[in-house]
Amino acid sequence: MYPVCSAQRTLLAFVLIAVSTSPTATQNTIITGSSLSSSSVTGTVTRVSSVVGGEANLPCDSRPPQRNDSLLLVVWYRDDNPVYSYDTRVPGPTGHWSDDTFGERARWVGQPTSALHVQDVQSRDRAIYRCRVDFQVSPTRNYRIALDVIELPSKPVIFDEFGKEITGIAGPYNEGGDFKLICSVNGGNPTPRVQWLQGETVLTTLAAGELHPPGSSRSLTLVVTNATRAHLSSVYMCTADNTLLSPPQRASVKIDLYLRPLSVEILSREQPLSVGRKAELSCRSTGARPPATITWWLGGKQLNSITKEQELDDRNETQSLLQWTPQKEHNGKMLTCRAEHSKFNKSTIESKLPLNVYYVPVASMHLGAKMNPNDIEEGDDVYFGCEVDANPPAYKVVWEHNGVLLQNNPSNGVILTANTNLALRNVSRHQAGLYTCTASNVEGDGKSPPLRMQIVYRPLCRKREVKLIGAALQEPSKVECEVDAFPPPDTFEWTLNNSAGSIKVDPERFTVNAKEGKSVLTYVPVSDIDYGTLACRATNLAGQQMSPCVYTLLPATRPDPPSNCSVYNLTDDSLDLTCLAGYEGGLQCTYIAEVWANEGLVTNSTNGAALWNLRRLGAKRHLKIVVYAANSRGRSEHISFTVETAPRLSPRTEAQEAWEVNWAVGGVLGAALTVAIILCLALIATRLRHRARDYEVTMQSTKNQKASLQKRSSPDDRNPDLIPLSKGIDCPPEPPQYSAVVAKSEAKNSSSCHSLARTQSPTSPVSNVTHDLPNERLNGTLRSHREVVTTRTPLLAAHQESCV
């Protein structure tokens, strides 16, 4: 904490020599208590007390006596040996120096009162120290400080009359008997005072003035005769103290007494219990103080459980709460609550409770009695049995194969009988695996440990497809053949088929790992005729493999380049790239992507697949990406394309976001208000236009109808089945254009607006109407079929219709 360098030690030695040769006389300082004063009395000592492990401030007045003076150096001595110094001419922490006496525990403090602050005071620090203060002008001062280190006594230890240490509870003792408590205290300087107290009452004292050497052991005995119920739970405290600077060391015990139990009873008797669910059972014992020794027993063995005890003074009874988790084997046994006191004639009383414990079914599986689990072949019949132990009895049993529920399906060879038996007819290798049965009752489902059924079958290739393998001339290539079989294969056979025929490979060229079902062939092509098709066959206990594993051996070449590359997740600094891999040349291949800019290579990435994550590309840059593949035979042709990263968006400020929100809200409100005003004006104009049009059309139509009725005869006279249009039907007024058409028709002997052709479509243009009217009148006759039709024309308003 206070490092000391060689230069500082040299400076301290120089200062000591300079001060010793100074002609200035030394002036002593008197320090009495906490006050500092100048005195000519030599040898006055200021005493400072501290406890071991505490802190101490050794005062030393460093205030210059003159205004134009200042502190130069403070040196602390112990037995005329410097132990600490503070040099104001050296800035920072290096101005402090401390030897091994204090180490890092001492520090000079100048404010508010100058003193040497010592932490973690040790007993070895007890000594008389001298503080020498040097000023720039004033003469040197010296102070003598005696540090009294008080060693606290150890915590009292309480023993019984047999010398056994007591912690917490003393006893239990018998009511009416005597007991003795011994308090032992070790250490302490000065010699501590030892006392026995009950509450605030001092029972007995061992004074500190009695002759005992410092640091020795002291004992004080407390004897209590004829213990009564008043002594139950009484607290006796032993204290030891030798200074007012620290509170006394304390140790206390609580007295426990025995009283005879009178009765015991198990209170809660709820049945049934469940395995795994915590049950609480209460047992009450009366007449015993302190609580009787209550134990719980099951099947002649004591339960290893937690028991809570409670004493009720008003009824002189004790209750014990057993928090207990029943187990399956406890079903049908007897639970016993036992209260006893060995100090009172060894009396024991009991209360018993028979147990009914529900538990989850326990299921176990087994093969049929005459079945060998190691000799099940494809086509055999297999039988399983399931044994269930449950309370209450299981109401359902289900079967599973590799976690898949099995259903009764005799047509597929799965037969379930009585829920506890399973038969598999004509098994295949696909039915090998783990079988379990699960039984259910009200407590839950109990699954049996899985039973593995192995079916003996011939080896089969793990990978059915033909694998292409590239091999270079005069270079070894490894070909792996992996098969599935049970039991594992013991032999492998390799053959090479080429233009020269079929050649059996020497067994020395391949290795066999029967446990993993794998064989590795090391093949070295010598010439072009050594290329062809390799076939691998394995053999196990069931026979030789039917279909071999086939590998096509090709000359190793450079790989084909990747194709169909796609860029996605394009940001201002990164992108993801994926391509379709080409032919790898029959060898292990790696894929490389390089990113180039105008100034050179930006980054590159190598991967075992045609997939790359390219980062740190820079924002808004035109980049060229080059992609190619490589294997041990060389590199493929490369493909290249260009991309441009996105620009980096500057973050928006809160003011900009607020302005955008306000502008958007204002725009919406303004648009809504504009639409409302336009709709109101359009509605007003439409109503005014309709009123003027209705009035004009009504007047013109009335005149035309009157003239037409005078020239035409009533249709009722000729055809009584036709309902006249002028009766019962009010024709709404027509627009001026339509009235003009009617008026023109009247000039050609048209009777009224009702003479329009019935074949007129509601969406036909007006021109067709004007052409049909003269033609119909020229015929001089009406159509044989008359009807009333209501139609809309483009000339009419939304609510106006013409009656035809």
Side-chain angles (χ1 to χ4, degrees), residues 709-724:
L709 290 175
Q710 292 175 359
K711 295 180 181 180
R712 294 179 56 188
S713 60
S714 174
D716 293 339
D717 299 336
R718 293 174 294 177
N719 192 351
D721 295 332
L722 180 64
I723 300 175

mmCIF file with all atom_site columns, all heavy atoms in Angstrom, residues 709-724:
data_model
loop_
_atom_site.group_PDB
_atom_site.id
_atom_site.type_symbol
_atom_site.label_atom_id
_atom_site.label_alt_id
_atom_site.label_comp_id
_atom_site.label_asym_id
_atom_site.label_entity_id
_atom_site.label_seq_id
_atom_site.pdbx_PDB_ins_code
_atom_site.Cartn_x
_atom_site.Cartn_y
_atom_site.Cartn_z
_atom_site.occupancy
_atom_site.B_iso_or_equiv
_atom_site.pdbx_formal_charge
_atom_site.auth_seq_id
_atom_site.auth_comp_id
_atom_site.auth_asym_id
_atom_site.auth_atom_id
_atom_site.pdbx_PDB_model_num
ATOM 1   N N   . LEU A 1 709 ? -103.798 11.368  -74.719 1.00 0.00 ? 709 LEU A N   1
ATOM 2   C CA  . LEU A 1 709 ? -105.035 10.742  -74.308 1.00 0.00 ? 709 LEU A CA  1
ATOM 3   C C   . LEU A 1 709 ? -106.211 11.185  -75.176 1.00 0.00 ? 709 LEU A C   1
ATOM 4   O O   . LEU A 1 709 ? -107.189 10.458  -75.365 1.00 0.00 ? 709 LEU A O   1
ATOM 5   C CB  . LEU A 1 709 ? -105.325 11.046  -72.845 1.00 0.00 ? 709 LEU A CB  1
ATOM 6   C CG  . LEU A 1 709 ? -104.385 10.366  -71.829 1.00 0.00 ? 709 LEU A CG  1
ATOM 7   C CD1 . LEU A 1 709 ? -104.693 10.853  -70.419 1.00 0.00 ? 709 LEU A CD1 1
ATOM 8   C CD2 . LEU A 1 709 ? -104.506 8.860   -71.929 1.00 0.00 ? 709 LEU A CD2 1
ATOM 9   N N   . GLN A 1 710 ? -106.152 12.381  -75.668 1.00 0.00 ? 710 GLN A N   1
ATOM 10  C CA  . GLN A 1 710 ? -107.235 12.845  -76.521 1.00 0.00 ? 710 GLN A CA  1
ATOM 11  C C   . GLN A 1 710 ? -107.219 12.153  -77.871 1.00 0.00 ? 710 GLN A C   1
ATOM 12  O O   . GLN A 1 710 ? -108.242 12.020  -78.527 1.00 0.00 ? 710 GLN A O   1
ATOM 13  C CB  . GLN A 1 710 ? -107.116 14.358  -76.713 1.00 0.00 ? 710 GLN A CB  1
ATOM 14  C CG  . GLN A 1 710 ? -107.381 15.132  -75.427 1.00 0.00 ? 710 GLN A CG  1
ATOM 15  C CD  . GLN A 1 710 ? -107.139 16.638  -75.607 1.00 0.00 ? 710 GLN A CD  1
ATOM 16  O OE1 . GLN A 1 710 ? -106.751 17.083  -76.706 1.00 0.00 ? 710 GLN A OE1 1
ATOM 17  N NE2 . GLN A 1 710 ? -107.396 17.399  -74.554 1.00 0.00 ? 710 GLN A NE2 1
ATOM 18  N N   . LYS A 1 711 ? -106.079 11.747  -78.387 1.00 0.00 ? 711 LYS A N   1
ATOM 19  C CA  . LYS A 1 711 ? -105.977 11.142  -79.718 1.00 0.00 ? 711 LYS A CA  1
ATOM 20  C C   . LYS A 1 711 ? -106.102 9.626   -79.666 1.00 0.00 ? 711 LYS A C   1
ATOM 21  O O   . LYS A 1 711 ? -106.324 8.990   -80.677 1.00 0.00 ? 711 LYS A O   1
ATOM 22  C CB  . LYS A 1 711 ? -104.648 11.520  -80.359 1.00 0.00 ? 711 LYS A CB  1
ATOM 23  C CG  . LYS A 1 711 ? -104.549 13.007  -80.622 1.00 0.00 ? 711 LYS A CG  1
ATOM 24  C CD  . LYS A 1 711 ? -103.202 13.323  -81.249 1.00 0.00 ? 711 LYS A CD  1
ATOM 25  C CE  . LYS A 1 711 ? -103.051 14.825  -81.502 1.00 0.00 ? 711 LYS A CE  1
ATOM 26  N NZ  . LYS A 1 711 ? -101.748 15.160  -82.116 1.00 0.00 ? 711 LYS A NZ  1
ATOM 27  N N   . ARG A 1 712 ? -105.830 9.024   -78.560 1.00 0.00 ? 712 ARG A N   1
ATOM 28  C CA  . ARG A 1 712 ? -105.822 7.570   -78.464 1.00 0.00 ? 712 ARG A CA  1
ATOM 29  C C   . ARG A 1 712 ? -107.031 7.073   -77.705 1.00 0.00 ? 712 ARG A C   1
ATOM 30  O O   . ARG A 1 712 ? -107.564 7.768   -76.844 1.00 0.00 ? 712 ARG A O   1
ATOM 31  C CB  . ARG A 1 712 ? -104.552 7.065   -77.778 1.00 0.00 ? 712 ARG A CB  1
ATOM 32  C CG  . ARG A 1 712 ? -103.289 7.341   -78.577 1.00 0.00 ? 712 ARG A CG  1
ATOM 33  C CD  . ARG A 1 712 ? -102.099 6.832   -77.819 1.00 0.00 ? 712 ARG A CD  1
ATOM 34  N NE  . ARG A 1 712 ? -102.270 5.427   -77.530 1.00 0.00 ? 712 ARG A NE  1
ATOM 35  C CZ  . ARG A 1 712 ? -101.439 4.729   -76.736 1.00 0.00 ? 712 ARG A CZ  1
ATOM 36  N NH1 . ARG A 1 712 ? -100.419 5.341   -76.183 1.00 0.00 ? 712 ARG A NH1 1
ATOM 37  N NH2 . ARG A 1 712 ? -101.657 3.461   -76.534 1.00 0.00 ? 712 ARG A NH2 1
ATOM 38  N N   . SER A 1 713 ? -107.435 5.920   -78.015 1.00 0.00 ? 713 SER A N   1
ATOM 39  C CA  . SER A 1 713 ? -108.518 5.294   -77.267 1.00 0.00 ? 713 SER A CA  1
ATOM 40  C C   . SER A 1 713 ? -107.938 4.539   -76.103 1.00 0.00 ? 713 SER A C   1
ATOM 41  O O   . SER A 1 713 ? -106.775 4.175   -76.080 1.00 0.00 ? 713 SER A O   1
ATOM 42  C CB  . SER A 1 713 ? -109.295 4.329   -78.185 1.00 0.00 ? 713 SER A CB  1
ATOM 43  O OG  . SER A 1 713 ? -108.433 3.329   -78.667 1.00 0.00 ? 713 SER A OG  1
ATOM 44  N N   . SER A 1 714 ? -108.798 4.280   -75.139 1.00 0.00 ? 714 SER A N   1
ATOM 45  C CA  . SER A 1 714 ? -108.336 3.592   -73.939 1.00 0.00 ? 714 SER A CA  1
ATOM 46  C C   . SER A 1 714 ? -107.964 2.173   -74.258 1.00 0.00 ? 714 SER A C   1
ATOM 47  O O   . SER A 1 714 ? -108.668 1.476   -74.980 1.00 0.00 ? 714 SER A O   1
ATOM 48  C CB  . SER A 1 714 ? -109.444 3.623   -72.880 1.00 0.00 ? 714 SER A CB  1
ATOM 49  O OG  . SER A 1 714 ? -109.049 2.861   -71.788 1.00 0.00 ? 714 SER A OG  1
ATOM 50  N N   . PRO A 1 715 ? -106.875 1.663   -73.728 1.00 0.00 ? 715 PRO A N   1
ATOM 51  C CA  . PRO A 1 715 ? -106.510 0.268   -73.984 1.00 0.00 ? 715 PRO A CA  1
ATOM 52  C C   . PRO A 1 715 ? -107.465 -0.723  -73.370 1.00 0.00 ? 715 PRO A C   1
ATOM 53  O O   . PRO A 1 715 ? -107.552 -1.863  -73.785 1.00 0.00 ? 715 PRO A O   1
ATOM 54  C CB  . PRO A 1 715 ? -105.097 0.145   -73.373 1.00 0.00 ? 715 PRO A CB  1
ATOM 55  C CG  . PRO A 1 715 ? -104.967 1.255   -72.411 1.00 0.00 ? 715 PRO A CG  1
ATOM 56  C CD  . PRO A 1 715 ? -105.887 2.339   -72.889 1.00 0.00 ? 715 PRO A CD  1
ATOM 57  N N   . ASP A 1 716 ? -108.271 -0.259  -72.415 1.00 0.00 ? 716 ASP A N   1
ATOM 58  C CA  . ASP A 1 716 ? -109.212 -1.193  -71.788 1.00 0.00 ? 716 ASP A CA  1
ATOM 59  C C   . ASP A 1 716 ? -110.314 -1.594  -72.768 1.00 0.00 ? 716 ASP A C   1
ATOM 60  O O   . ASP A 1 716 ? -110.916 -2.663  -72.628 1.00 0.00 ? 716 ASP A O   1
ATOM 61  C CB  . ASP A 1 716 ? -109.841 -0.570  -70.561 1.00 0.00 ? 716 ASP A CB  1
ATOM 62  C CG  . ASP A 1 716 ? -108.782 -0.359  -69.472 1.00 0.00 ? 716 ASP A CG  1
ATOM 63  O OD1 . ASP A 1 716 ? -107.727 -1.056  -69.544 1.00 0.00 ? 716 ASP A OD1 1
ATOM 64  O OD2 . ASP A 1 716 ? -108.970 0.470   -68.562 1.00 0.00 ? 716 ASP A OD2 1
ATOM 65  N N   . ASP A 1 717 ? -110.566 -0.714  -73.745 1.00 0.00 ? 717 ASP A N   1
ATOM 66  C CA  . ASP A 1 717 ? -111.642 -1.046  -74.660 1.00 0.00 ? 717 ASP A CA  1
ATOM 67  C C   . ASP A 1 717 ? -111.263 -2.170  -75.584 1.00 0.00 ? 717 ASP A C   1
ATOM 68  O O   . ASP A 1 717 ? -112.107 -2.923  -76.048 1.00 0.00 ? 717 ASP A O   1
ATOM 69  C CB  . ASP A 1 717 ? -112.024 0.192   -75.481 1.00 0.00 ? 717 ASP A CB  1
ATOM 70  C CG  . ASP A 1 717 ? -112.527 1.325   -74.564 1.00 0.00 ? 717 ASP A CG  1
ATOM 71  O OD1 . ASP A 1 717 ? -112.990 0.978   -73.445 1.00 0.00 ? 717 ASP A OD1 1
ATOM 72  O OD2 . ASP A 1 717 ? -112.379 2.489   -74.960 1.00 0.00 ? 717 ASP A OD2 1
ATOM 73  N N   . ARG A 1 718 ? -109.975 -2.263  -75.900 1.00 0.00 ? 718 ARG A N   1
ATOM 74  C CA  . ARG A 1 718 ? -109.542 -3.307  -76.817 1.00 0.00 ? 718 ARG A CA  1
ATOM 75  C C   . ARG A 1 718 ? -109.021 -4.529  -76.109 1.00 0.00 ? 718 ARG A C   1
ATOM 76  O O   . ARG A 1 718 ? -109.138 -5.639  -76.582 1.00 0.00 ? 718 ARG A O   1
ATOM 77  C CB  . ARG A 1 718 ? -108.471 -2.756  -77.763 1.00 0.00 ? 718 ARG A CB  1
ATOM 78  C CG  . ARG A 1 718 ? -109.043 -1.706  -78.719 1.00 0.00 ? 718 ARG A CG  1
ATOM 79  C CD  . ARG A 1 718 ? -107.901 -1.093  -79.526 1.00 0.00 ? 718 ARG A CD  1
ATOM 80  N NE  . ARG A 1 718 ? -107.014 -0.324  -78.641 1.00 0.00 ? 718 ARG A NE  1
ATOM 81  C CZ  . ARG A 1 718 ? -105.899 0.278   -79.059 1.00 0.00 ? 718 ARG A CZ  1
ATOM 82  N NH1 . ARG A 1 718 ? -105.521 0.154   -80.328 1.00 0.00 ? 718 ARG A NH1 1
ATOM 83  N NH2 . ARG A 1 718 ? -105.171 0.948   -78.226 1.00 0.00 ? 718 ARG A NH2 1
ATOM 84  N N   . ASN A 1 719 ? -108.375 -4.347  -74.999 1.00 0.00 ? 719 ASN A N   1
ATOM 85  C CA  . ASN A 1 719 ? -107.796 -5.480  -74.260 1.00 0.00 ? 719 ASN A CA  1
ATOM 86  C C   . ASN A 1 719 ? -108.039 -5.277  -72.787 1.00 0.00 ? 719 ASN A C   1
ATOM 87  O O   . ASN A 1 719 ? -107.306 -4.552  -72.113 1.00 0.00 ? 719 ASN A O   1
ATOM 88  C CB  . ASN A 1 719 ? -106.304 -5.579  -74.547 1.00 0.00 ? 719 ASN A CB  1
ATOM 89  C CG  . ASN A 1 719 ? -105.749 -6.899  -74.033 1.00 0.00 ? 719 ASN A CG  1
ATOM 90  O OD1 . ASN A 1 719 ? -106.426 -7.642  -73.332 1.00 0.00 ? 719 ASN A OD1 1
ATOM 91  N ND2 . ASN A 1 719 ? -104.516 -7.173  -74.435 1.00 0.00 ? 719 ASN A ND2 1
ATOM 92  N N   . PRO A 1 720 ? -109.109 -5.847  -72.258 1.00 0.00 ? 720 PRO A N   1
ATOM 93  C CA  . PRO A 1 720 ? -109.418 -5.625  -70.828 1.00 0.00 ? 720 PRO A CA  1
ATOM 94  C C   . PRO A 1 720 ? -108.385 -6.224  -69.903 1.00 0.00 ? 720 PRO A C   1
ATOM 95  O O   . PRO A 1 720 ? -108.361 -5.893  -68.738 1.00 0.00 ? 720 PRO A O   1
ATOM 96  C CB  . PRO A 1 720 ? -110.781 -6.285  -70.686 1.00 0.00 ? 720 PRO A CB  1
ATOM 97  C CG  . PRO A 1 720 ? -110.819 -7.309  -71.757 1.00 0.00 ? 720 PRO A CG  1
ATOM 98  C CD  . PRO A 1 720 ? -110.057 -6.745  -72.921 1.00 0.00 ? 720 PRO A CD  1
ATOM 99  N N   . ASP A 1 721 ? -107.530 -7.124  -70.417 1.00 0.00 ? 721 ASP A N   1
ATOM 100 C CA  . ASP A 1 721 ? -106.515 -7.732  -69.530 1.00 0.00 ? 721 ASP A CA  1
ATOM 101 C C   . ASP A 1 721 ? -105.327 -6.832  -69.296 1.00 0.00 ? 721 ASP A C   1
ATOM 102 O O   . ASP A 1 721 ? -104.490 -7.124  -68.458 1.00 0.00 ? 721 ASP A O   1
ATOM 103 C CB  . ASP A 1 721 ? -106.021 -9.055  -70.131 1.00 0.00 ? 721 ASP A CB  1
ATOM 104 C CG  . ASP A 1 721 ? -107.143 -10.075 -70.192 1.00 0.00 ? 721 ASP A CG  1
ATOM 105 O OD1 . ASP A 1 721 ? -108.041 -9.967  -69.346 1.00 0.00 ? 721 ASP A OD1 1
ATOM 106 O OD2 . ASP A 1 721 ? -107.081 -10.945 -71.074 1.00 0.00 ? 721 ASP A OD2 1
ATOM 107 N N   . LEU A 1 722 ? -105.199 -5.766  -70.034 1.00 0.00 ? 722 LEU A N   1
ATOM 108 C CA  . LEU A 1 722 ? -104.034 -4.873  -69.887 1.00 0.00 ? 722 LEU A CA  1
ATOM 109 C C   . LEU A 1 722 ? -104.372 -3.781  -68.905 1.00 0.00 ? 722 LEU A C   1
ATOM 110 O O   . LEU A 1 722 ? -105.389 -3.094  -69.058 1.00 0.00 ? 722 LEU A O   1
ATOM 111 C CB  . LEU A 1 722 ? -103.639 -4.280  -71.241 1.00 0.00 ? 722 LEU A CB  1
ATOM 112 C CG  . LEU A 1 722 ? -102.459 -3.340  -71.239 1.00 0.00 ? 722 LEU A CG  1
ATOM 113 C CD1 . LEU A 1 722 ? -101.206 -4.112  -70.827 1.00 0.00 ? 722 LEU A CD1 1
ATOM 114 C CD2 . LEU A 1 722 ? -102.266 -2.711  -72.619 1.00 0.00 ? 722 LEU A CD2 1
ATOM 115 N N   . ILE A 1 723 ? -103.577 -3.617  -67.931 1.00 0.00 ? 723 ILE A N   1
ATOM 116 C CA  . ILE A 1 723 ? -103.798 -2.575  -66.915 1.00 0.00 ? 723 ILE A CA  1
ATOM 117 C C   . ILE A 1 723 ? -103.296 -1.264  -67.469 1.00 0.00 ? 723 ILE A C   1
ATOM 118 O O   . ILE A 1 723 ? -102.133 -1.145  -67.877 1.00 0.00 ? 723 ILE A O   1
ATOM 119 C CB  . ILE A 1 723 ? -103.067 -2.911  -65.627 1.00 0.00 ? 723 ILE A CB  1
ATOM 120 C CG1 . ILE A 1 723 ? -103.570 -4.246  -65.084 1.00 0.00 ? 723 ILE A CG1 1
ATOM 121 C CG2 . ILE A 1 723 ? -103.231 -1.801  -64.579 1.00 0.00 ? 723 ILE A CG2 1
ATOM 122 C CD1 . ILE A 1 723 ? -102.807 -4.711  -63.863 1.00 0.00 ? 723 ILE A CD1 1
ATOM 123 N N   . PRO A 1 724 ? -104.168 -0.264  -67.548 1.00 0.00 ? 724 PRO A N   1
ATOM 124 C CA  . PRO A 1 724 ? -103.709 1.035   -68.082 1.00 0.00 ? 724 PRO A CA  1
ATOM 125 C C   . PRO A 1 724 ? -102.627 1.621   -67.206 1.00 0.00 ? 724 PRO A C   1
ATOM 126 O O   . PRO A 1 724 ? -102.666 1.521   -66.000 1.00 0.00 ? 724 PRO A O   1
ATOM 127 C CB  . PRO A 1 724 ? -104.982 1.882   -68.096 1.00 0.00 ? 724 PRO A CB  1
ATOM 128 C CG  . PRO A 1 724 ? -105.882 1.242   -67.105 1.00 0.00 ? 724 PRO A CG  1
ATOM 129 C CD  . PRO A 1 724 ? -105.578 -0.224  -67.130 1.00 0.00 ? 724 PRO A CD  1
#
